[in-house]
Amino acid sequence: MACGLLNLCVYETNKRFRIKSVELGTLKWTLNGAVLLFICFMMLWNKEYQEHDLVTSSVTTKVKGVALASIPEMGLVVWDVVDHSGLAQGKNSFFVATNVIVTKNQKQGKCPEVAPWGLCKTDKDCQKGFSDQQSHGVQTGPCVKFDVLKKTCEVSAWCPVENRKSPPRPALLASAENFTVLVKNNIRFPAFNYIRRNILPEMTDKDLKGCLYNRYTNPFCPVFRLGDIVHEAKERFSDMAVEGGVIGIQIDWNCDLNRFFHSCLPKYSFRRLDEKESNRTLYPGLNFRFARYSTINGVEHRTLFKVYGIRFDVMVFGKAGKFSIIQLIIYIGSTLSYYALTTVFIDWLIGTNCYSRKAKHNYSEKQCESVQDQKYLLCVSFVDEEQLRVVKMSRNKRLQETKPLSQHQWKVSGLVTDMPLLEISSSRCPDWCQCGCCHSSASFLEQLCCRKSKGRCITTSSLFPALVLTRSILEIALLYVAPLAEQHKDDQLRQQAYAQYIKWRFGDFTPMDAVPVIPSCCVWRIREQYPSPDGKYSGIIFGCASNGVLK
């Protein structure tokens, strides 16, 4: 059938061995139980039975607070929310001013450049129209007096030029520590069409106005005191307020959307994002400039503010999970291979001397079975040699001429040379025949003589008919296999004669499990004695079942 030829109707399974041992059985089920507990624990811990989706979100903030600060050149000044955080710093972030340098009453004019930029001794050191990234203006050409000891190039700029370089200590606007911020976070898990916000449904307007975040007593309140945020980030607000910095507010949403275990609440954490050590980074902290303009007597003036402050970046992370039978099946399927660890460990234990040396030997014999390669090894016996030859089967070279891979001493030394042989000549023998009794054959495997060199044929020995051709001996051998058989056909006798010759010339086992090959002269002498009814013979057949059989 085509089905059989294509192996479409064949099922194969691995061979298994059953070892009856209380110790190994107990160890097996103990290891399997440990693997099962591990699989179940990891499934529940990582929620591998769920389908997951990542969060998408939006964030808005609202800062509240007012402070009275004493600022040089300005005196007591009230700073409210507009002054502190009026300038946006980017998406999902807000800025609060904590320190300031003020330069008042600037107007367009000419004034000395600030040292150390533009230092000069004469007008030749100044270049009219020159400016660079560090300049406060454009040089006009003259070299003018900056202070008692130094001269700098005159520049056209907003005068007087900002002179102070380092921020005041302590910070002038450190009272911003007590400001509060309301963080509003709206999230969505698209795969589950689930929407949520960090202002929980059970919160009322009164609750929202009166609550303040605390990690232990009020962990879900969305209103935060700035000083508490910095403290949670393991920083001191008074130190950070001098030069400014960046603080991250992280909101984590780990949601379980199953009906019976529903949970979706925000978890807040805080950390500093910038490098805080001034001696380990250039330009530490965070600052920027802005100006307030006014017109006095028709002349435009401005007050320049260099503001230091803290930027708070709100970062949202989240993942939601919901039960999925497909994910559960995939997880179970992927973890079944863990049970192979039990087999590997027990096989290793038996394979070493840790368990039992006798068990190791028996198990190895049962588990390992020698199988010949498709490149068959053949065994050849010449009557004029006392050694058996092992050769590799060749499709393009006569077996008579094939060089041996190895030679093995025949167990009964001297048997060959003592056999009396009679000389028989034949003019029809092929050129590879050495005994004169072989027949021509198109197959290289059948081109084998009983001799390696010229001489008498083994079929002329008195032992050959006695051991190989005698009907009574062959029938006794067949009856040994099938005691109730009454009559044997020539085909059966011919096959038994082949077996008798192999046992006589090769013994019970051949070296390297090689397939014994009967010489052509012996094959045809047996066929003459017990011919096929139709006169047709198949020759040597190789295969899984026959393993080198003459037909």
Side-chain angles (χ1 to χ4, degrees), residues 113 117-118 129-139:
E113 178 62 282
W117 297 281
F130 173 80
S131 66
D132 60 19
Q133 293 180 349
Q134 304 297 334
S135 300
H136 292 86
V138 179
Q139 294 183 10

Side-chain angles (χ1 to χ4, degrees), residues 372 377-380 388 390 408 502 506-517:
Q372 288 184 347
L377 295 179
L378 306 179
C379 188
V380 177
L388 298 178
V390 176
H408 303 266
I502 290 173
F506 297 93
D508 293 328
F509 303 99
T510 57
M512 302 172 63
D513 292 333
V515 179
V517 181

Side-chain angles (χ1 to χ4, degrees), residues 424-440:
I424 298 178
S425 60
S426 176
S427 59
R428 297 180 302 171
C429 66
D431 56 354
W432 48 267
C433 177
Q434 305 295 323
C435 67
C437 298
C438 298
H439 289 213
S440 299

